[in-house]
């Protein structure tokens, strides 16, 4: 959230035409802001996997999932300063049948886009909007490990870390030297070093990179990696959580605790980075995706605004959920109360 506002980005063409939903977190008011006209022909299969806010420019760069265009959305002047940025064909080759990029982050100088099936990781300079190739995928991974990544996280100091989707390693890029490091010290090499879907999203907290499991062999495991030496540990999901088909797709750190966002899992999992205590919260009985189902009707992401944790809906679910009373180091509780639930039109919703 920036200036006490939270921006909910569209994930498909229908939502794109409706615009960006801006929530004032102090008043609960939701305002729809227009996006620039999509280049013709407009595709109903247009997809996005989120975006990154650059505070110094008051701009959100929306990730192109099935398009060769990056949407530059101005939060200060949506109609006057928003635009469409074309990714040059000589910068990256795109697989038109699959998502090109999945995940982005800002390091203070560049916005990084994680290659899903694209030939390169790319980065964008917000000062000029110049787009350049950063890391070639075919130099590091066989084609069988595409889609490669699903998420990228900045550690706040010197490096960006890319979350392996099918790639066999965590990829670290030093933003100052461009040195690339691959980390492969998986807790179970036979389980994690495979050409299978493993993780999506991520968060940095407590000196570790936290990787949310999107799929994998039972029982599902959250993996954390030490930033200083690449050492990895695994945490098995609480037995009370039914994972479904696409477990978790993002994570959010609130300063003490990492919260994992459920897509088809039927609850939030929270891990305190100091104590290692794990909590599971299963109180979404009104959601159609609850109960570990395989349909993607849960949440696509989460954000911490300095006071509250917000869960952002993906498909059928139409509610933003706010948690003002977060688990603390002293007491991780599975009964953390929901502060409020907002419909897409800004009205309150009372769960049955």
């Amino acid at each position: 959230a920036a200036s006490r506002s939270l921006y909910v980005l569209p994930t498909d063409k229908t939502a794109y035409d409706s615009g960006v939903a801006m929530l004032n977190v102090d008043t609960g008011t939701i305002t729809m802001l227009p996006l620039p006209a999509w280049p013709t022909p407009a595709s109903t299969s247009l997809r996005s996997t989120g975006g990154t806010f650059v505070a110094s420019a008051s701009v959100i760069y929306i990730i192109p999932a099935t398009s060769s265009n990056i949407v530059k959305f101005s939060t200060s002047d949506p109609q006057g300063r928003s635009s469409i940025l074309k990714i040059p064909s000589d910068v990256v080759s795109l697989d038109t049948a699959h998502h090109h990029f999945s995940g982005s982050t800002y390091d203070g100088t560049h916005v990084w886009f994680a290659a899903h099936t694209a030939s390169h990781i790319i980065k964008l300079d917000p000062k000029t909007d110049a787009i350049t190739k950063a890391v070639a995928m075919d130099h590091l991974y066989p084609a069988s490990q595409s889609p490669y990544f699903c998420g990228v996280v900045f550690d706040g100091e010197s490096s960006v870390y890319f979350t392996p989707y099918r790639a066999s390693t965590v990829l670290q890029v030093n933003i100052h030297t461009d040195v690339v490091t691959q980390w492969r010290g998986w807790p179970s090499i036979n389980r994690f070093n495979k050409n299978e879907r493993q993780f999506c999203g991520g968060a940095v907290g407590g000196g570790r990179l936290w990787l949310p499991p999107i799929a994998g062999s039972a029982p599902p495991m959250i993996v954390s990696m030490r930033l200083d030496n690449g050492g990895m540990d695994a945490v098995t999901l609480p037995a009370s959580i039914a994972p479904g088909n696409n477990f978790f797709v993002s994570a959010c750190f609130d300063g003490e605790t990492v919260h994992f966002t459920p897509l088809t899992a039927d609850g939030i999992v929270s891990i305190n980075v100091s104590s290692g205590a794990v909590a599971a919260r299963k109180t979404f009985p009104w959601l159609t995706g609850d109960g570990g189902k395989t349909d993607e009707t849960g949440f696509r992401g989460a954000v911490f605004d300095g006071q509250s944790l917000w869960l952002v809906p993906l498909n059928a679910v139409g509610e933003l959920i706010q948690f003002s009373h977060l688990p603390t180091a002293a007491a991780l509780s599975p009964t953390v109360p929901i502060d409020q639930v907002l419909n897409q039109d800004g009205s309150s919703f009372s769960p049955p």
Side-chain angles (χ1 to χ4, degrees), residues 150-153 163-164 199-203 209-212 248-251 300:
C150 185
V152 54
V153 183
T163 300
F199 305 100
C200 189
L209 171 68
W210 297 84
L211 302 176
F248 301 91
V249 289
S250 71
R300 184 59 183 90

Side-chain angles (χ1 to χ4, degrees), residues 38 62-71 84-94 100-101 113 118-124 129-133:
W38 193 254
I62 301 178
I63 305 166
T66 56
S67 167
S68 58
N69 300 304
I70 295 172
V71 179
I84 302 289
L85 306 178
K86 180 75 173 178
I87 301 175
S89 58
D90 61 341
V91 169
V92 61
S93 60
L94 304 175
H100 311 322
F101 300 96
F113 295 86
S119 61
H120 290 73
I121 292 169
I122 62 174
K123 58 183 180 179
L124 181 152
D129 289 335
I131 301 169
T132 57
K133 63 181 72 174

Side-chain angles (χ1 to χ4, degrees), residues 38-340:
W38 193 254
T40 55
S43 171
T44 55
S45 64
L46 165 68
R47 301 285 290 180
S48 168
T49 56
T52 291
F53 178 63
V54 178
S56 59
S58 297
V59 164
I60 297 173
Y61 291 95
I62 301 178
I63 305 166
T66 56
S67 167
S68 58
N69 300 304
I70 295 172
V71 179
K72 178 183 180 180
F73 174 73
S74 169
T75 59
S76 60
D77 184 7
Q79 291 183 302
R81 295 186 57 232
S82 298
S83 60
I84 302 289
L85 306 178
K86 180 75 173 178
I87 301 175
S89 58
D90 61 341
V91 169
V92 61
S93 60
L94 304 175
D95 180 347
T96 57
H98 298 91
H99 286 194
H100 311 322
F101 300 96
S102 185
S104 63
T105 193
Y106 181 54
D107 66 9
T109 303
H110 292 94
V111 178
W112 295 76
F113 295 86
H116 198 58
T117 62
S119 61
H120 290 73
I121 292 169
I122 62 174
K123 58 183 180 179
L124 181 152
D125 184 347
K127 293 182 179 179
T128 62
D129 289 335
I131 301 169
T132 57
K133 63 181 72 174
V135 182
M137 293 297 92
D138 60 2
H139 291 175
L140 300 174
Y141 303 101
S144 61
Q145 291 184 19
S146 173
Y148 307 105
F149 302 110
C150 185
V152 54
V153 183
F154 177 48
D155 65 5
E157 296 182 1
S158 63
S159 294
V160 288
Y161 294 82
F162 294 84
T163 300
Y165 187 73
R166 279 189 171 169
S168 58
T169 68
V170 173
L171 188 72
Q172 174 188 359
V173 180
N174 186 295
I175 64 172
H176 304 300
T177 65
D178 291 330
V179 171
V180 175
T181 304
Q182 291 179 280
W183 299 101
R184 63 179 78 244
W186 300 110
S188 171
I189 195 69
N190 292 328
R191 173 171 178 167
F192 292 109
N193 192 21
K194 297 179 179 179
N195 300 341
E196 298 177 354
R197 297 190 311 143
Q198 296 287 356
F199 305 100
C200 189
V204 168
R208 288 177 174 269
L209 171 68
W210 297 84
L211 302 176
I214 190 171
S217 307
M221 292 184 177
I222 294 168
V223 169
S224 67
M225 186 189 86
R226 289 182 53 170
L227 301 182
D228 58 351
N229 62 15
M232 296 185 184
D233 297 291
V235 177
T236 302
L237 290 186
S240 61
I241 294 293
N245 188 49
N246 295 292
F247 315 158
F248 301 91
V249 289
S250 71
C252 181
F253 182 54
D254 67 13
E256 292 185 350
T257 302
V258 180
H259 305 277
F260 296 85
T261 308
L263 184 56
T264 59
D266 64 347
I268 300 174
V269 172
S270 301
I271 300 178
N272 185 279
V273 299
S274 298
S275 67
V278 180
R281 188 180 192 287
K282 294 182 57 172
T283 54
F284 305 124
W286 70 93
L287 300 186
T288 57
D290 192 34
K293 296 182 180 179
T294 58
D295 53 330
E296 297 182 357
T297 50
F299 303 94
R300 184 59 183 90
V303 64
F304 180 64
D305 68 7
Q307 298 177 5
S308 300
L309 175 73
W310 294 85
L311 299 185
V312 182
L314 177 60
N315 288 334
V317 180
E319 297 84 38
L320 282 165
I321 294 184
Q322 177 190 15
F323 295 92
S324 290
H325 307 282
L326 297 176
T328 65
L332 275 172
S333 170
T335 57
V336 177
I338 294 174
D339 185 69
Q340 67 172 323

